[in-house]
Amino acid sequence: MDYLIQIMGPLWEGTTITLKLFGVTLLLSIPLGLSLALMRLSRFKSLDRLVNGYIWVMRGTPLMLQMLFVYFALPSFGILLPDFLAAIVAFTLNYAAYFAEIFRAGIQSIGKGQYEAAQVLGMSYPQTMRRIILPQMVKKILPPLSNETITLVKDTSLIYVLALNDLLRAARNIVQRDFNITPFIVAAAFYLIMTLILTWLFQYMEKRYAVYED
């Protein structure tokens, strides 16, 4: 027990970095992903192709490679970012691409009759999206959105390449110092608790949005 109390401080400091990266990434990538999805559905084909190319690059290359590019390559163009900010930029750009495809699929799953009904009611396109389409879309995308969000929690461990002292790196440093695997077990428990909370949150949201039945 004394050893657990001793290692809990460094592990909690690592957890705060993990939670900050997760929270900021989610806060930025969801609206960016929704914007990209709407641009993909735009009637302007050039905009659709441009966003489609961006999504292809982001989904077709490893997240770690994108982090290394942001951190090591951008300084060549005069853009020098601190470690944590570089991680935020890379994670946001990557996850926005995945969220964009989830949002696009959700919007396209809504029947054309919904648009026609809104048009009969005299709603504009923004009103139709905000009041009719997006609430129904949220219900449909919750399962894949839940999967991506839980994956984001685990992907935060990739920031060790930028020497950021996240939860996993903090645990590894203690294991290497003490030759004891207990920190790894504690770190696993922390990750499980975070993913369990997210699972409960998304299950609650699925029940709440169940009012929008087809």
Side-chain angles (χ1 to χ4, degrees):
M1 181 59 72
D2 290 342
Y3 183 70
L4 278 177
I5 296 174
Q6 178 188 342
I7 66 175
M8 203 55 74
L11 289 179
W12 179 248
E13 289 180 10
T15 302
T16 58
I17 294 177
T18 295
L19 290 174
K20 284 181 183 175
L21 178 62
F22 169 78
V24 176
T25 300
L26 203 62
L27 192 65
L28 297 177
S29 59
I30 284 182
L32 179 58
L34 181 58
S35 300
L36 291 172
L38 293 175
M39 284 190 275
R40 276 217 64 192
L41 297 173
S42 167
R43 59 183 177 180
F44 301 107
K45 296 301 178 185
S46 56
L47 186 59
D48 175 23
R49 285 194 288 269
L50 181 65
V51 174
N52 195 28
Y54 167 80
I55 292 173
W56 172 66
V57 171
M58 289 293 113
R59 297 173 69 194
T61 56
L63 174 56
M64 186 181 294
L65 179 62
Q66 295 164 18
M67 278 195 299
L68 294 174
F69 179 85
V70 170
Y71 189 71
F72 291 107
L74 288 187
S76 304
F77 301 96
I79 304 173
L80 182 60
L81 300 176
D83 300 351
F84 187 73
L85 184 56
I88 289 292
V89 170
F91 269 76
T92 299
L93 294 178
N94 179 275
Y95 269 85
Y98 284 93
F99 286 145
E101 286 300 90
I102 293 173
F103 291 142
R104 181 184 61 82
I107 293 172
Q108 288 183 322
S109 69
I110 308 298
K112 291 183 179 179
Q114 301 288 321
Y115 293 92
E116 294 169 355
Q119 192 174 16
V120 170
L121 293 173
M123 291 185 182
S124 63
Y125 180 76
Q127 288 175 324
T128 302
M129 295 301 293
R130 189 177 70 253
R131 300 173 64 178
I132 305 294
I133 305 302
L134 293 184
Q136 297 182 74
M137 177 208 72
V138 171
K139 173 185 175 292
K140 291 177 179 292
I141 68 169
L142 280 177
L145 192 65
S146 170
N147 286 336
E148 278 303 315
T149 306
I150 289 173
T151 300
L152 172 58
V153 174
K154 294 178 288 185
D155 276 354
T156 55
S157 62
L158 293 175
I159 60 174
Y160 79 90
V161 297
L162 302 183
L164 285 167
N165 200 30
D166 72 310
L167 172 58
L168 188 58
R169 186 182 178 88
R172 191 188 65 177
N173 289 342
I174 299 173
V175 169
Q176 290 177 334
R177 183 194 66 192
D178 299 342
F179 298 102
N180 188 325
I181 64 167
T182 302
F184 280 155
I185 298 173
V186 176
F190 279 14
Y191 280 113
L192 286 172
I193 291 171
M194 287 187 278
T195 56
L196 180 62
I197 293 173
L198 287 172
T199 300
W200 283 343
L201 177 63
F202 276 98
Q203 286 176 347
Y204 167 76
M205 292 176 66
E206 286 185 32
K207 290 180 182 177
R208 180 175 179 181
Y209 279 90
V211 296
Y212 296 100
E213 296 291 350
D214 296 328

